[in-house]
Amino acid sequence: MTALRELVGIDGFAWPWLLLAVVVPWLLQLLPPLRTGDGEAALRVPWRRLREVAEGGDGRPQARGFPWLRWLAWCLLCVAAARPQQLGPPVAPPQAGRELMLAVDLSASMGEEDMELGGRIVDRLTAAKAVLADFLDRRAGDRVGLIVFGDLAYALTPLTPDRESVRQQLDGTVVGLAGRATALGDAIALATKRLRQRDADASTRDRVLILLTDGVNTAGLLEPERAAQIARDADVRIHAIAFGGAGAAVSVFGFQLPLGGGDEVDEAGLAKIAQLTGGRFFRARAVDELAGIYAEIDRLEPVQRAGQVVRPRIERYPLPLGLALGLGALVLLARRRAA
């Protein structure tokens, strides 16, 4: 196969058995004459000799014009019929990931400064942004959207493969942007609605919501459990993360002493939401724990990598077919001139 490619620039034939037709004209000449029912040879009329006599010839066989051209034209027709093919350059199918919606709590409690990041104390939202930015870097192939919620739920970005735009929108969020309460049920319902509005090419994608909150449902029109049932019916899987420490702290001689006042997290309610939809519930009290949770979600929801690399087959029959037709036209032209 390699030698064939180097010689003629093709890798093979789709129907190689048609190359056997090259010898068909010679096989027809070797066939015995037709016979009648009584076994005698049927009458064979020398049409070519009769035509030559009618055209004024002397009855002797005339040289056939360019027999090698006819032979070459027939061979090229057989080659074209066998469909020569060449392997094209390697092509990898595009990545096909998940429909992934991120829901981030922006209620007042997310401003509690009880997280340590890079050796300094930061609020919960700042810590969540840092972890989510790293998470987005690993989700190449997904279509990601962002929802924030407080008194109400808002979609900041639709589902998009442009993870950089999602990161920019997340960086621009601040505590209280959507209100100071926690509309947990409304956030789940809005995420489910956006995940259901998918296009045809996403019909086989998994739909996942990653919900991060540090409180309990205190606002909104829909109860979280009812919203989770709607998500389950829409085949949306929810991973719920309860995030938050012991509340604000004060530094005394280099030691951080909690001041208390940290909001309670509805761990039981979040666990039920995740269980209803086939997801997982996680509890994070520190930044490293939150980073570990998103790494675990990476494992639970792996990005579907590109499929096996293939090489398309390029049809190369037009060239031999065109040459055969051209040679046939030359033969006809030569015979007309000879006549």
Side-chain angles (χ1 to χ4, degrees), residues 238-257:
I238 301 176
H239 298 300
I241 304 173
F243 183 46
V250 63
S251 177
V252 179
F253 300 110
F255 296 96
Q256 296 294 325
L257 299 179

Side-chain angles (χ1 to χ4, degrees), residues 302-319:
V303 176
Q304 299 176 14
R305 301 298 180 184
Q308 185 179 2
V309 176
V310 296
R311 298 185 65 182
R313 294 185 176 273
I314 304 173
E315 297 286 347
R316 296 301 188 194
Y317 70 85
L319 178 59

Side-chain angles (χ1 to χ4, degrees), residues 9-151:
I10 63 173
D11 295 282
F13 297 90
W15 302 328
W17 50 271
L18 281 176
L19 294 174
L20 298 176
V22 170
V23 299
V24 168
W26 283 266
L27 291 178
L28 291 177
Q29 292 184 2
L30 296 177
L31 291 177
L34 297 176
R35 295 185 177 274
T36 60
D38 56 3
E40 296 182 359
L43 178 64
R44 301 182 65 181
V45 180
W47 300 105
R48 186 176 292 105
R49 295 281 302 277
L50 292 176
R51 187 178 62 185
E52 291 171 352
V53 171
E55 292 176 352
D58 56 5
R60 292 178 297 180
Q62 301 293 322
R64 300 177 182 178
F66 304 102
W68 60 272
L69 283 180
R70 292 196 297 271
W71 154 246
L72 183 56
W74 174 252
C75 291
L76 288 171
L77 278 176
C78 294
V79 170
R83 288 178 56 198
Q85 296 176 332
Q86 185 179 21
L87 293 178
V91 176
Q95 292 182 337
R98 284 165 166 70
E99 304 280 280
L100 185 62
M101 187 67 73
L102 305 177
V104 179
D105 188 352
L106 296 184
S107 61
S109 57
M110 288 293 286
E112 293 283 355
E113 295 184 351
D114 57 355
M115 294 293 154
E116 183 177 350
L117 179 65
R120 61 189 182 93
I121 302 301
V122 298
D123 60 71
R124 296 172 182 175
L125 180 59
T126 300
K129 287 180 182 180
V131 175
L132 279 169
D134 182 64
F135 176 73
L136 286 171
D137 288 339
R138 302 192 298 268
R139 303 307 299 185
D142 285 344
R143 293 208 314 167
V144 185
L146 176 63
I147 286 177
V148 296
F149 59 97
D151 295 338

